[in-house]
Amino acid sequence: MPTTAPRLGTALTRLLLVTAALLGTLLAGAAPASAHAALTSSDPQDGAVVATAPKDVNLTFSEQVAMSADSIRVLDPSGKRVDTSEIRDLCSGSIVKYGVGLRSGLPEGTYTVAWQTVSADSHPIAGAFTFSIGAPSQTTVALPDTEVGGGLVGALYGIARYLSYAGFTVLVGGSAFVLACWPRGASVRPVQRLVVRGWLTLTAATLAMLLLRNPYTGSGELSDAFDLGGLSSVLETKTGAALISRLMLLGAAALFVAVLFGTYTKRTDEKEKKDLTFGLAIGGTVVAAGIAGTWALAEHASTGIQPGIAMPVDLLHLLAVAAWLGGLTTLLVALYRAPDIERTAVERFSKIAFGSVVVLAATGLYQSWRQVGSWSALTGTAYGQLLLAKIGLVAVLVGIAWISRRWTQRLAAPATAAVPADGIESVGDGESDRDGEGTAGGEGVQEEASPDEAPVDPERAAQLARQRAAVATARKKRDRDADPERTGLRRSVLTEAVVAVVLLAVTTVLTTTEPGRTEEEAGRAQSASGSTAVPDRPVDIRLPFDTGSVNGKGTVQLTLNPGRTGANTLHLFVDGPDGRALDVPEIKVAFTLKAKDVGPLPVVPDRIQAGHWSANGVQIPMAGEWQIQVTVRTSDIDQTTLDKNVKIG
């Protein structure tokens, strides 16, 4: 074992300890701030009952948002729009406030306010609440049952985001690996294909995001991806400008790749090649930084506290990720498809990877403090929990990288592979001797016939081709098995790559999740404005039933999650007397708030499987003592209705 390995382990341990200490210090002393828009208050408030009709509805957000004519809609009990569609900017200083006027002469009843906008960090946000004029009433307003940015369009947009990160990583990391670690790799076809595919993936994903941006932040309908008016509106936004800039920079990246795999490989003069390497390194760094900047300028880093520091830090973070994970992918391809890669190239990448980890630790530490802000947000918010998962994956990746580094250090030692004995090598190669007796495929490989001899028939020629392929495969396998250090490195790098794929997926989800710092601040702002935060309490009730028919007895278990105002998920499980799932023909649910004459609000769940029914997006417009009615039908004529009063919100 090399003597430097223990020192490396000690250095990594110290680095992790220092990082943990700094993280604790920063999180403990974090101050309130926001980095992702959230509704903090409204006028009228959610569930309020006002004596006279207000002239307008005002919404206050935690940060700047992009408003359109349809961003705030006010609907009367029958579902008709009663606002003027004229959004008014009421922002003043640090207060982000927008309003919409209401038509005059509005009658009494319950009105629904539905809002949808885009946060300054490019993510769509939406919500709804109700208020009543005079007294609450029944309402027929049906709000969308899919979350904004969700559905098929949201899934496709998320896939495009992941592919864009993956393409950027491979394009930048692969090019850097060739220039900094393995110049000869520029002429290796598998490496060329890898980098070019990275460019194609990033370009295609960027185009897809540009087309999907309008339905992603708006209607959610896939057909709107080809709406030229919507596309024009997207180009006027910060995100649209960033995507167009990325496409322009990808044009420069295409030129860079063409020179790297074309002119660069043909240079034989050392001085000329050195000068070209320097030029490609400078130009490539500028283009890579520009592409990384399109993320930094349009997403989390561009909003909240210290954006002037956060954006360059985010840029460095992305470049370090690309250098590490993209270089790792290129190394993996080289180890499998070009096993003659020089050991010095692996050693150089090992040093670059270690430097990238240091940069990632420093920039990730700052980003964690900025986006999380407190220990409670680290463990009590979705963003914090995802961040903990990411940190865990990075720790695993660093551990595997340390093993790979040890294999790399062993590669630096002189090769000690024994030369196979006579006869054994020919068996491993599958090569034939002069008499035509070989071992590949169990038959001899004869030499080609002379011009005077009869030509080999096509079937025999195909057999010889298969034998030669088997010989080549056996030779490659022998070469790999003869170098156990390289085999160990190949396996550890493959493991790193698998973990890196998962890490990239978690990172993609993290970039679309509301930061923990913002989530906590929104809760504090709502409390300060008079809204009482109520913890989620899922509704879980069991109702026995008997319709009076054969197989008409059983129990319905109803679960409403999270059991608060707004959108909920409803699950119904029907069991027979024996405790087994009972498949009933139909089941319906209705919600009624008798204290305010709201409802019944009907819900028709979908059958998932025998005994299991479910409905998404069940809207509870206000908190109170709700009556839940469940109607179970066990035959064409036999049914019964059960009811239970529960507190929701």
PDB file of all heavy atoms in Angstrom, residues 528-549:
ATOM      1  N   ALA A 528     -47.682  36.555  11.650  1.00  0.00           N
ATOM      2  CA  ALA A 528     -47.650  37.979  11.962  1.00  0.00           C
ATOM      3  C   ALA A 528     -48.839  38.720  11.377  1.00  0.00           C
ATOM      4  O   ALA A 528     -49.291  39.725  11.925  1.00  0.00           O
ATOM      5  CB  ALA A 528     -46.359  38.594  11.438  1.00  0.00           C
ATOM      6  N   SER A 529     -49.378  38.243  10.249  1.00  0.00           N
ATOM      7  CA  SER A 529     -50.506  38.915   9.611  1.00  0.00           C
ATOM      8  C   SER A 529     -51.849  38.497  10.191  1.00  0.00           C
ATOM      9  O   SER A 529     -52.887  38.976   9.760  1.00  0.00           O
ATOM     10  CB  SER A 529     -50.506  38.622   8.107  1.00  0.00           C
ATOM     11  OG  SER A 529     -50.721  37.243   7.874  1.00  0.00           O
ATOM     12  N   GLY A 530     -51.827  37.592  11.174  1.00  0.00           N
ATOM     13  CA  GLY A 530     -53.075  37.202  11.832  1.00  0.00           C
ATOM     14  C   GLY A 530     -53.538  35.818  11.483  1.00  0.00           C
ATOM     15  O   GLY A 530     -54.504  35.335  12.056  1.00  0.00           O
ATOM     16  N   SER A 531     -52.898  35.178  10.521  1.00  0.00           N
ATOM     17  CA  SER A 531     -53.280  33.814  10.157  1.00  0.00           C
ATOM     18  C   SER A 531     -52.675  32.846  11.149  1.00  0.00           C
ATOM     19  O   SER A 531     -51.513  32.961  11.516  1.00  0.00           O
ATOM     20  CB  SER A 531     -52.792  33.486   8.737  1.00  0.00           C
ATOM     21  OG  SER A 531     -53.358  34.380   7.820  1.00  0.00           O
ATOM     22  N   THR A 532     -53.441  31.904  11.586  1.00  0.00           N
ATOM     23  CA  THR A 532     -52.966  30.930  12.558  1.00  0.00           C
ATOM     24  C   THR A 532     -52.526  29.673  11.837  1.00  0.00           C
ATOM     25  O   THR A 532     -53.319  29.054  11.132  1.00  0.00           O
ATOM     26  CB  THR A 532     -54.069  30.580  13.570  1.00  0.00           C
ATOM     27  OG1 THR A 532     -54.500  31.781  14.204  1.00  0.00           O
ATOM     28  CG2 THR A 532     -53.552  29.599  14.609  1.00  0.00           C
ATOM     29  N   ALA A 533     -51.272  29.327  12.000  1.00  0.00           N
ATOM     30  CA  ALA A 533     -50.753  28.125  11.347  1.00  0.00           C
ATOM     31  C   ALA A 533     -51.255  26.887  12.072  1.00  0.00           C
ATOM     32  O   ALA A 533     -51.111  26.775  13.290  1.00  0.00           O
ATOM     33  CB  ALA A 533     -49.227  28.136  11.346  1.00  0.00           C
ATOM     34  N   VAL A 534     -51.859  25.993  11.365  1.00  0.00           N
ATOM     35  CA  VAL A 534     -52.399  24.771  11.942  1.00  0.00           C
ATOM     36  C   VAL A 534     -51.623  23.594  11.392  1.00  0.00           C
ATOM     37  O   VAL A 534     -51.493  23.448  10.187  1.00  0.00           O
ATOM     38  CB  VAL A 534     -53.901  24.609  11.591  1.00  0.00           C
ATOM     39  CG1 VAL A 534     -54.449  23.324  12.184  1.00  0.00           C
ATOM     40  CG2 VAL A 534     -54.688  25.810  12.075  1.00  0.00           C
ATOM     41  N   PRO A 535     -51.083  22.733  12.256  1.00  0.00           N
ATOM     42  CA  PRO A 535     -50.315  21.602  11.756  1.00  0.00           C
ATOM     43  C   PRO A 535     -51.209  20.629  11.004  1.00  0.00           C
ATOM     44  O   PRO A 535     -52.414  20.536  11.251  1.00  0.00           O
ATOM     45  CB  PRO A 535     -49.756  20.973  13.050  1.00  0.00           C
ATOM     46  CG  PRO A 535     -50.691  21.415  14.127  1.00  0.00           C
ATOM     47  CD  PRO A 535     -51.158  22.781  13.723  1.00  0.00           C
ATOM     48  N   ASP A 536     -50.603  19.945  10.055  1.00  0.00           N
ATOM     49  CA  ASP A 536     -51.345  18.966   9.270  1.00  0.00           C
ATOM     50  C   ASP A 536     -51.810  17.829  10.163  1.00  0.00           C
ATOM     51  O   ASP A 536     -51.003  17.234  10.903  1.00  0.00           O
ATOM     52  CB  ASP A 536     -50.460  18.417   8.145  1.00  0.00           C
ATOM     53  CG  ASP A 536     -50.084  19.509   7.155  1.00  0.00           C
ATOM     54  OD1 ASP A 536     -50.734  20.554   7.169  1.00  0.00           O
ATOM     55  OD2 ASP A 536     -49.127  19.285   6.384  1.00  0.00           O
ATOM     56  N   ARG A 537     -53.121  17.520  10.091  1.00  0.00           N
ATOM     57  CA  ARG A 537     -53.679  16.418  10.860  1.00  0.00           C
ATOM     58  C   ARG A 537     -54.538  15.586   9.924  1.00  0.00           C
ATOM     59  O   ARG A 537     -55.723  15.890   9.718  1.00  0.00           O
ATOM     60  CB  ARG A 537     -54.517  16.932  12.034  1.00  0.00           C
ATOM     61  CG  ARG A 537     -53.692  17.665  13.090  1.00  0.00           C
ATOM     62  CD  ARG A 537     -54.583  18.299  14.136  1.00  0.00           C
ATOM     63  NE  ARG A 537     -53.814  19.027  15.123  1.00  0.00           N
ATOM     64  CZ  ARG A 537     -54.339  19.833  16.030  1.00  0.00           C
ATOM     65  NH1 ARG A 537     -55.650  20.018  16.059  1.00  0.00           N
ATOM     66  NH2 ARG A 537     -53.565  20.461  16.891  1.00  0.00           N
ATOM     67  N   PRO A 538     -53.973  14.588   9.299  1.00  0.00           N
ATOM     68  CA  PRO A 538     -54.750  13.774   8.362  1.00  0.00           C
ATOM     69  C   PRO A 538     -56.001  13.206   9.022  1.00  0.00           C
ATOM     70  O   PRO A 538     -55.976  12.759  10.172  1.00  0.00           O
ATOM     71  CB  PRO A 538     -53.764  12.665   7.966  1.00  0.00           C
ATOM     72  CG  PRO A 538     -52.413  13.260   8.222  1.00  0.00           C
ATOM     73  CD  PRO A 538     -52.578  14.143   9.415  1.00  0.00           C
ATOM     74  N   VAL A 539     -57.109  13.253   8.298  1.00  0.00           N
ATOM     75  CA  VAL A 539     -58.370  12.700   8.784  1.00  0.00           C
ATOM     76  C   VAL A 539     -58.368  11.201   8.516  1.00  0.00           C
ATOM     77  O   VAL A 539     -58.087  10.764   7.395  1.00  0.00           O
ATOM     78  CB  VAL A 539     -59.561  13.376   8.074  1.00  0.00           C
ATOM     79  CG1 VAL A 539     -60.867  12.705   8.474  1.00  0.00           C
ATOM     80  CG2 VAL A 539     -59.595  14.857   8.395  1.00  0.00           C
ATOM     81  N   ASP A 540     -58.678  10.426   9.540  1.00  0.00           N
ATOM     82  CA  ASP A 540     -58.689   8.961   9.404  1.00  0.00           C
ATOM     83  C   ASP A 540     -59.875   8.425  10.202  1.00  0.00           C
ATOM     84  O   ASP A 540     -59.869   8.442  11.438  1.00  0.00           O
ATOM     85  CB  ASP A 540     -57.385   8.360   9.914  1.00  0.00           C
ATOM     86  CG  ASP A 540     -57.250   6.888   9.539  1.00  0.00           C
ATOM     87  OD1 ASP A 540     -58.201   6.335   8.962  1.00  0.00           O
ATOM     88  OD2 ASP A 540     -56.195   6.294   9.834  1.00  0.00           O
ATOM     89  N   ILE A 541     -60.932   7.991   9.515  1.00  0.00           N
ATOM     90  CA  ILE A 541     -62.134   7.503  10.191  1.00  0.00           C
ATOM     91  C   ILE A 541     -62.535   6.153   9.616  1.00  0.00           C
ATOM     92  O   ILE A 541     -62.217   5.818   8.477  1.00  0.00           O
ATOM     93  CB  ILE A 541     -63.306   8.499  10.055  1.00  0.00           C
ATOM     94  CG1 ILE A 541     -63.620   8.766   8.577  1.00  0.00           C
ATOM     95  CG2 ILE A 541     -62.980   9.808  10.767  1.00  0.00           C
ATOM     96  CD1 ILE A 541     -64.828   9.656   8.371  1.00  0.00           C
ATOM     97  N   ARG A 542     -63.264   5.368  10.437  1.00  0.00           N
ATOM     98  CA  ARG A 542     -63.789   4.065  10.010  1.00  0.00           C
ATOM     99  C   ARG A 542     -65.297   4.083  10.213  1.00  0.00           C
ATOM    100  O   ARG A 542     -65.792   4.440  11.288  1.00  0.00           O
ATOM    101  CB  ARG A 542     -63.155   2.924  10.808  1.00  0.00           C
ATOM    102  CG  ARG A 542     -61.644   2.818  10.611  1.00  0.00           C
ATOM    103  CD  ARG A 542     -61.072   1.654  11.434  1.00  0.00           C
ATOM    104  NE  ARG A 542     -61.560   0.373  10.958  1.00  0.00           N
ATOM    105  CZ  ARG A 542     -60.978  -0.339   9.994  1.00  0.00           C
ATOM    106  NH1 ARG A 542     -59.874   0.131   9.405  1.00  0.00           N
ATOM    107  NH2 ARG A 542     -61.465  -1.499   9.617  1.00  0.00           N
ATOM    108  N   LEU A 543     -66.043   3.679   9.183  1.00  0.00           N
ATOM    109  CA  LEU A 543     -67.501   3.707   9.208  1.00  0.00           C
ATOM    110  C   LEU A 543     -68.053   2.344   8.820  1.00  0.00           C
ATOM    111  O   LEU A 543     -67.911   1.912   7.676  1.00  0.00           O
ATOM    112  CB  LEU A 543     -68.024   4.770   8.225  1.00  0.00           C
ATOM    113  CG  LEU A 543     -67.544   6.217   8.456  1.00  0.00           C
ATOM    114  CD1 LEU A 543     -67.968   7.097   7.288  1.00  0.00           C
ATOM    115  CD2 LEU A 543     -68.097   6.757   9.754  1.00  0.00           C
ATOM    116  N   PRO A 544     -68.687   1.617   9.765  1.00  0.00           N
ATOM    117  CA  PRO A 544     -69.333   0.339   9.398  1.00  0.00           C
ATOM    118  C   PRO A 544     -70.616   0.600   8.606  1.00  0.00           C
ATOM    119  O   PRO A 544     -71.308   1.601   8.815  1.00  0.00           O
ATOM    120  CB  PRO A 544     -69.634  -0.297  10.765  1.00  0.00           C
ATOM    121  CG  PRO A 544     -69.707   0.847  11.711  1.00  0.00           C
ATOM    122  CD  PRO A 544     -68.777   1.909  11.199  1.00  0.00           C
ATOM    123  N   PHE A 545     -70.949  -0.295   7.675  1.00  0.00           N
ATOM    124  CA  PHE A 545     -72.153  -0.118   6.865  1.00  0.00           C
ATOM    125  C   PHE A 545     -72.860  -1.455   6.679  1.00  0.00           C
ATOM    126  O   PHE A 545     -72.266  -2.536   6.826  1.00  0.00           O
ATOM    127  CB  PHE A 545     -71.810   0.488   5.498  1.00  0.00           C
ATOM    128  CG  PHE A 545     -71.004  -0.413   4.601  1.00  0.00           C
ATOM    129  CD1 PHE A 545     -71.627  -1.322   3.757  1.00  0.00           C
ATOM    130  CD2 PHE A 545     -69.618  -0.359   4.608  1.00  0.00           C
ATOM    131  CE1 PHE A 545     -70.895  -2.148   2.929  1.00  0.00           C
ATOM    132  CE2 PHE A 545     -68.869  -1.182   3.789  1.00  0.00           C
ATOM    133  CZ  PHE A 545     -69.511  -2.082   2.946  1.00  0.00           C
ATOM    134  N   ASP A 546     -74.159  -1.344   6.352  1.00  0.00           N
ATOM    135  CA  ASP A 546     -74.986  -2.515   6.060  1.00  0.00           C
ATOM    136  C   ASP A 546     -76.082  -2.076   5.109  1.00  0.00           C
ATOM    137  O   ASP A 546     -76.984  -1.316   5.478  1.00  0.00           O
ATOM    138  CB  ASP A 546     -75.588  -3.086   7.346  1.00  0.00           C
ATOM    139  CG  ASP A 546     -76.365  -4.371   7.095  1.00  0.00           C
ATOM    140  OD1 ASP A 546     -76.464  -4.795   5.923  1.00  0.00           O
ATOM    141  OD2 ASP A 546     -76.895  -4.935   8.070  1.00  0.00           O
ATOM    142  N   THR A 547     -76.003  -2.514   3.851  1.00  0.00           N
ATOM    143  CA  THR A 547     -77.001  -2.130   2.859  1.00  0.00           C
ATOM    144  C   THR A 547     -78.211  -3.056   2.865  1.00  0.00           C
ATOM    145  O   THR A 547     -79.178  -2.818   2.126  1.00  0.00           O
ATOM    146  CB  THR A 547     -76.380  -2.127   1.456  1.00  0.00           C
ATOM    147  OG1 THR A 547     -75.932  -3.449   1.141  1.00  0.00           O
ATOM    148  CG2 THR A 547     -75.209  -1.156   1.388  1.00  0.00           C
ATOM    149  N   GLY A 548     -78.163  -4.139   3.661  1.00  0.00           N
ATOM    150  CA  GLY A 548     -79.298  -5.045   3.758  1.00  0.00           C
ATOM    151  C   GLY A 548     -79.335  -6.123   2.713  1.00  0.00           C
ATOM    152  O   GLY A 548     -80.296  -6.889   2.649  1.00  0.00           O
ATOM    153  N   SER A 549     -78.320  -6.221   1.883  1.00  0.00           N
ATOM    154  CA  SER A 549     -78.306  -7.236   0.833  1.00  0.00           C
ATOM    155  C   SER A 549     -77.218  -8.262   1.142  1.00  0.00           C
ATOM    156  O   SER A 549     -76.459  -8.131   2.109  1.00  0.00           O
ATOM    157  CB  SER A 549     -78.025  -6.582  -0.522  1.00  0.00           C
ATOM    158  OG  SER A 549     -76.748  -5.975  -0.519  1.00  0.00           O
TER     159      SER A 549
END
